[in-house]
Amino acid sequence: MSSSTIPAIRYLRRTLGLNTPTEMSDEDVLGLIRKLRPLNCGKELIRIGGDGDGGYLVPDDFEGIEYCFSPGVNTCSEFENQLADRYNIKSFLADYSVEEPPIMRPEFVFDKRFLGASDRGQYITLSSWKDKYIKDYAGDLILQMDIESSEYEVILNTPDSLLNQFRILVVEFHDLHRIFDPFAFRLFSTCFDKILQFFHVVHIHPNNYCIPVKRGNIEVPKLLEITFLNKKRVTSTTPQTVFPHELDVDNAPDGVHLVLPECWYSSI
């Protein structure tokens, strides 16, 4: 067999998935989970939004922020409503699935669009959306995003310079029960590694609309609301080891009570 044939065979095997494990190892999965363990960054966590779905714990660090971008409106805009009431923050909202937010006020600007990885049809990228309204604005921003699994492509498509302009990110991550699948694991890892260049995780809340999946001592909620704080706002960190937070509330009041599994914040 010639030396030129060997790389071709390796390429073919990778293409056909023959070199791909059927599942990720426990150590690989735990390695990713460890990267996401929440940190106390010296900022008190407060609750913004309602007492169920649509309410989030965020660091009390809003001084100087003028704008929030909030894709994924559905039937709730209490988070943006409270930002306007408490901090006079203006919100840009987007969701192609509704005609308008349930609350409309002068501080809100609504686009009937989905956030996506390209500007096409009913989709708009985060970069284009920001440029549409505040192209030359260089101050800090907030991103609150719940867009039904499109969060991964949006984050990966967002330039680092724009991502780093956000002081606070609040993102609901979907489909995490697929973390043991090699393809999904690579997507999740790439996405989180990009965020963690600029941000610390400060809080994680499991959405109790879905039951977690378990493998051995690894328990993975299907939906996680993760709050990030930009590292530029942090001088020191310590591990956050008490969960649930006293302000955490189940998303679904009639669902099974769900707390963050221990492997997400404690060494195992």
Side-chain angles (χ1 to χ4, degrees):
M1 183 181 297
S2 70
S3 59
S4 62
T5 304
I6 295 174
I9 292 175
R10 289 174 178 167
Y11 175 78
L12 180 60
R13 289 180 60 85
R14 288 196 301 270
T15 302
L16 295 175
L18 299 178
N19 288 334
T20 303
T22 56
E23 286 194 332
M24 301 304 300
S25 70
D26 287 3
E27 188 55 37
D28 285 334
V29 172
L30 283 172
L32 176 55
I33 290 174
R34 291 184 190 111
K35 293 181 183 180
L36 296 170
R37 284 180 178 160
L39 298 173
N40 183 334
C41 294
K43 309 284 186 182
E44 179 186 2
L45 296 179
I46 61 174
R47 188 174 184 87
I48 303 290
D51 288 334
D53 206 31
Y56 304 96
L57 269 63
V58 294
D60 189 5
D61 188 15
F62 296 96
E63 185 177 355
I65 297 178
E66 298 182 40
Y67 302 105
C68 170
F69 283 85
S70 187
V73 176
N74 200 354
T75 60
C76 184
S77 53
E78 189 57 37
F79 181 86
E80 301 80 14
N81 194 47
Q82 290 188 18
L83 286 182
D85 283 343
R86 297 187 193 182
Y87 308 104
N88 197 31
I89 292 175
K90 182 176 182 177
S91 287
F92 301 104
L93 303 99
D95 194 328
Y96 188 76
S97 69
V98 297
E99 295 302 318
E100 64 179 18
I103 301 171
M104 278 301 294
R105 52 188 294 172
E107 296 89 348
F108 291 0
V109 176
F110 175 71
D111 281 84
K112 187 176 171 60
R113 305 285 290 275
F114 285 135
L115 201 62
S118 63
D119 297 306
R120 68 188 194 284
Q122 68 264 39
Y123 293 91
I124 188 171
T125 64
L126 185 56
S127 295
S128 295
W129 192 20
K130 190 256 185 182
D131 288 349
K132 180 178 179 181
Y133 294 108
I134 52 170
K135 182 175 183 178
D136 297 323
Y137 180 77
D140 287 358
L141 303 164
I142 301 173
L143 177 66
Q144 187 273 305
M145 181 163 62
D146 181 2
I147 53 175
E148 309 303 325
S149 301
S150 293
E151 59 274 10
Y152 303 103
E153 64 183 81
V154 167
I155 290 168
L156 291 174
N157 181 69
T158 300
D160 285 357
S161 58
L162 176 54
L163 187 64
N164 195 28
Q165 195 174 344
F166 290 94
R167 183 184 300 180
I168 297 169
L169 305 180
V170 185
V171 183
E172 180 161 276
F173 291 94
H174 298 74
D175 300 322
L176 290 168
H177 61 289
R178 298 180 58 196
I179 197 169
F180 300 104
D181 172 75
F183 179 83
F185 179 86
R186 288 194 296 271
L187 175 64
F188 299 157
S189 295
T190 304
C191 180
F192 286 126
D193 283 346
K194 178 168 182 174
I195 295 173
L196 294 174
Q197 293 179 91
F198 309 110
F199 294 88
H200 291 303
V201 175
V202 295
H203 189 66
I204 303 179
H205 174 73
N207 188 322
N208 71 319
Y209 276 108
C210 301
I211 302 300
V213 296
K214 296 181 180 180
R215 190 174 79 181
N217 59 356
I218 303 174
E219 185 173 353
V220 182
K222 294 184 179 181
L223 305 172
L224 284 179
E225 298 168 352
I226 304 183
T227 304
F228 303 86
L229 178 63
N230 198 299
K231 292 178 179 179
K232 293 181 292 187
R233 308 294 297 181
V234 179
T235 56
S236 63
T237 65
T238 56
Q240 189 73 269
T241 59
V242 178
F243 288 89
H245 190 280
E246 62 182 5
L247 298 178
D248 275 323
V249 180
D250 284 335
N251 298 70
D254 298 328
V256 176
H257 178 60
L258 185 62
V259 299
L260 186 67
E262 189 174 354
C263 64
W264 288 83
Y265 63 89
S266 178
S267 299
I268 61 173

